[in-house]
Amino acid sequence: MKNSRSIPHPTISQVKIIDNRNNFPISWLNKQGFCEYGIYLENVRGIEVKPTKAMVQGTVEHAVLEADFKEGAQPATFEKMLETSETSEILSREFPVISSKYGIRGFIDEVWMTPDEFMIIDDKPGTVAYYSSINQVYGYCLAFKDMVDDDRKIIGALRQRGTDNVYWSAYFNNEAEINTINLVNRVHELLVGKREFVSTKNPNKCRGCRFNSLCDKRLDF
Ligand code: SF4
């Protein structure tokens, strides 16, 4: 993996400029599916609100899983892991991915590497396969695919947080790849002002939104 030059975006939080291209967190694909205007409020306008209970719980559970995993883990380089997985199954947690080509980066909750395929797992609270969650896990698949020079198939999967319950999975096929690239490009167009951040039309989302007390686009609920 090559080292890329990275500097923070001068005005948009969480965006970095890597290899002369904006680079945003892949978790934004989930936020984008919920309400693009939330990304605008938080990262362009810089509004700060407390994280939700689910966000805090997710961070704690990540840390516990990570600690459990590290106890029995063998340190390995990415290249070594890929090579090992050609003949045996291996698992990695909090796997960092970055694509300067697509301008995205993040940490995959868990990657299973087998001689036949890679499974990219994202842990979520609950068991509903929202399209925003699917977009996020496909974003990880896209960045992962860009990093590996390997013909093995890639599967995106959603797992109920804190359990072994994989409640949704699908191959990251051509159609999924094209749709994900289009979505990533849409977010890039938002960041450079080519498109307007669109607010949700669903008042139920506003009800559960952590920005609802400060949002000028909030719908009555
Ligand atoms: S309050 Fe509603 S419109 Fe505003 S950011 Fe939240 S979900 Fe979007």
Side-chain angles (χ1 to χ4, degrees):
M1 263 182 287
K2 68 168 183 154
N3 282 326
S4 301
R5 184 173 138 73
S6 160
I7 55 172
H9 190 281
T11 59
I12 307 176
S13 65
Q14 295 184 44
V15 173
K16 292 182 178 178
I17 300 170
I18 298 175
D19 292 341
N20 299 314
R21 190 186 195 334
N22 282 340
N23 189 297
F24 65 85
I26 292 168
S27 57
W28 280 20
L29 297 181
N30 195 353
K31 295 180 180 182
Q32 186 275 341
F34 184 78
C35 177
E36 284 180 355
Y37 202 66
I39 297 176
Y40 169 76
L41 291 177
E42 182 171 22
N43 303 102
V44 180
R45 288 259 302 273
I47 289 177
E48 288 182 18
V49 293
K50 280 190 189 163
T52 62
K53 201 172 152 197
M55 288 163 80
V56 173
Q57 196 175 354
T59 307
V60 171
E61 286 177 6
H62 271 205
V64 171
L65 283 169
E66 177 71 346
D68 286 352
F69 173 72
K70 276 186 178 154
E71 272 187 19
Q74 303 280 341
T77 64
F78 183 48
E79 288 75 14
K80 183 75 188 154
M81 287 167 74
L82 279 179
E83 189 188 319
T84 306
S85 69
E86 284 172 9
T87 50
S88 57
E89 295 187 8
I90 58 171
L91 178 156
S92 179
R93 286 203 54 83
E94 296 297 323
F95 188 92
V97 280
I98 182 163
S99 165
S100 52
K101 175 179 174 185
Y102 294 113
I104 51 175
R105 66 183 194 282
F107 288 88
I108 302 172
D109 284 330
E110 198 163 294
V111 180
W112 295 352
M113 301 183 182
T114 77
D116 301 316
E117 54 199 17
F118 301 111
M119 186 182 267
I120 308 293
I121 299 175
D122 196 32
D123 289 328
K124 292 288 178 212
T127 55
V128 180
Y130 294 108
Y131 74 91
S132 54
S133 304
I134 294 170
N135 289 343
Q136 181 180 358
V137 77
Y138 276 159
Y140 293 126
C141 292
L142 181 66
F144 186 87
K145 185 173 180 182
D146 188 37
M147 287 172 64
V148 299
D149 183 18
D150 197 297
D151 289 337
R152 278 175 269 182
K153 287 188 175 160
I154 298 175
I155 301 168
L158 299 173
R159 182 173 62 186
Q160 186 178 10
R161 184 172 289 153
T163 76
D164 292 330
N165 178 22
V166 172
Y167 62 88
W168 176 92
S169 66
Y171 280 106
F172 184 60
N173 58 18
N174 258 355
E175 185 186 352
E177 184 171 352
I178 290 166
N179 289 341
T180 307
I181 291 170
N182 288 340
L183 185 63
V184 165
N185 287 340
R186 175 183 173 86
V187 175
H188 280 296
E189 288 178 5
L190 294 171
L191 296 177
V192 297
K194 269 195 187 171
R195 285 177 185 268
E196 298 243 322
F197 289 86
V198 175
S199 57
T200 185
K201 304 287 176 284
N202 179 352
N204 288 331
K205 288 187 176 179
C206 295
R207 185 185 301 126
C209 175
R210 63 200 176 105
F211 298 106
N212 63 16
S213 63
L214 301 160
C215 178
D216 53 323
K217 304 272 189 188
R218 183 188 68 199
L219 299 169
D220 286 338
F221 50 83

